[in-house]
Amino acid sequence: MATILYYSPNYTRPIVPRCLTQYFKTGIKNVDIATDMEAFTENFPLHQCPGLINRETGLYLTETISIQYYIIKTFCKDPKEVKILLGSTILEEAEILRWGSFSVSDFNNREDDYIKPLIGLKPYDAHAHSTAKKQFEAIVQIFEDHLENHRFLVSDHITLADLCASSAFFLGFNFAFDEKWSQQYPNITRWYKEVTKSPYVSSFFGDKQQAKSFPPPPK
């Protein structure tokens, strides 16, 4: 049985694992859950993706950071590159995990609450959306302030933290973050453009365009 990475194009968390399977030439089979829902449900009853499995070897992983970590440690043949991506000291490793977790949990959830009601992917309630907007802007400002004095999130080069965060920001840049937004958050925009052009994730981001306009609230 081949190792399978289950993903869905409707979610951002599988973006980086899919890209890494290609970048490191892993031979891992990427399967859209919509094409094999029965097997996906059987193996991952919580219906959360990405999910990585090979029953013959006993491999079973959920959660995007753990899957990315596994792919890098297993398939990257250059020890120096492993340290570049995952950290060369305990402190770096901890910072990478901190920013990565922050991006795919707290940030991702608040972005969903703010952006998805504007594009019809969640019900819109004016009061709830006003609260979501304030929470999202507060969390975005953390990134903007940090990137004012840092080229990347943890080190002077791209790490797993940047890859996690870039995938989390994709929803916004794809559907809402127009040029006016970028003028308000120039540090995030500069960082996002640089990270998404990197060979680690360019297979996904290469043909993606920034949103032309910010969606108005539904009437």
Side-chain angles (χ1 to χ4, degrees):
M1 176 183 178
T3 300
I4 295 174
L5 174 70
Y6 285 104
Y7 75 94
S8 170
N10 299 322
Y11 301 108
T12 59
R13 290 182 179 93
I15 291 173
V16 176
R18 290 187 67 200
C19 289
L20 293 180
T21 63
Q22 298 175 47
Y23 176 80
F24 290 116
K25 298 179 173 60
T26 64
I28 293 173
K29 184 179 180 181
N30 286 248
V31 175
D32 184 340
I33 62 174
T35 67
D36 197 10
M37 185 59 72
E38 183 177 352
F40 172 68
T41 301
E42 178 184 352
N43 293 310
F44 300 95
L46 294 182
H47 290 197
Q48 293 179 336
C49 62
L52 192 68
I53 189 169
N54 186 319
R55 284 186 166 177
E56 291 181 357
T57 64
L59 173 64
Y60 181 92
L61 286 176
T62 60
E63 310 306 323
T64 185
I65 294 177
S66 70
I67 292 172
Q68 293 171 51
Y69 190 91
Y70 170 82
I71 292 172
I72 293 169
K73 293 283 281 188
T74 303
F75 296 99
C76 180
K77 306 304 181 184
D78 184 352
K80 292 182 179 179
E81 188 174 17
V82 173
K83 289 185 177 180
I84 286 172
L85 289 170
L86 301 181
S88 57
T89 67
I90 293 176
L91 182 58
E92 269 194 356
E93 291 176 6
E95 284 291 313
I96 289 168
L97 290 173
R98 178 173 79 93
W99 281 103
S101 177
F102 184 57
S103 299
V104 302
S105 57
D106 297 275
F107 174 83
N108 220 130
N109 294 336
R110 284 170 173 78
E111 183 184 40
D112 282 1
D113 290 342
Y114 178 45
I115 300 298
K116 287 187 174 181
L118 297 176
I119 57 177
L121 296 180
K122 274 189 173 183
Y124 178 80
D125 174 86
H127 177 72
H129 192 259
S130 177
T131 300
K133 181 177 186 291
K134 293 177 182 178
Q135 292 177 340
F136 180 70
E137 288 177 344
I139 207 168
V140 164
Q141 197 62 48
I142 293 173
F143 282 91
E144 181 68 13
D145 291 345
H146 180 76
L147 290 167
E148 183 175 2
N149 298 308
H150 299 82
R151 182 178 176 186
F152 300 108
L153 290 175
V154 176
S155 187
D156 58 356
H157 53 257
I158 290 174
T159 68
L160 184 61
D162 300 290
L163 302 182
C164 288
S166 67
S167 68
F169 270 94
F170 172 68
L171 176 69
F173 273 97
N174 194 54
F175 289 105
F177 300 163
D178 56 9
E179 286 299 325
K180 183 177 180 180
W181 189 95
S182 287
Q183 291 172 9
Q184 185 177 355
Y185 300 103
N187 300 319
I188 291 174
T189 302
R190 179 268 309 160
W191 160 84
Y192 180 81
K193 289 181 177 180
E194 184 168 3
V195 174
T196 55
K197 288 178 181 177
S198 76
Y200 295 112
V201 292
S202 59
S203 61
F204 175 84
F205 287 102
D207 62 348
K208 303 300 186 295
Q209 301 293 322
Q210 184 172 355
K212 300 297 183 183
S213 61
F214 204 99
K219 294 182 180 179

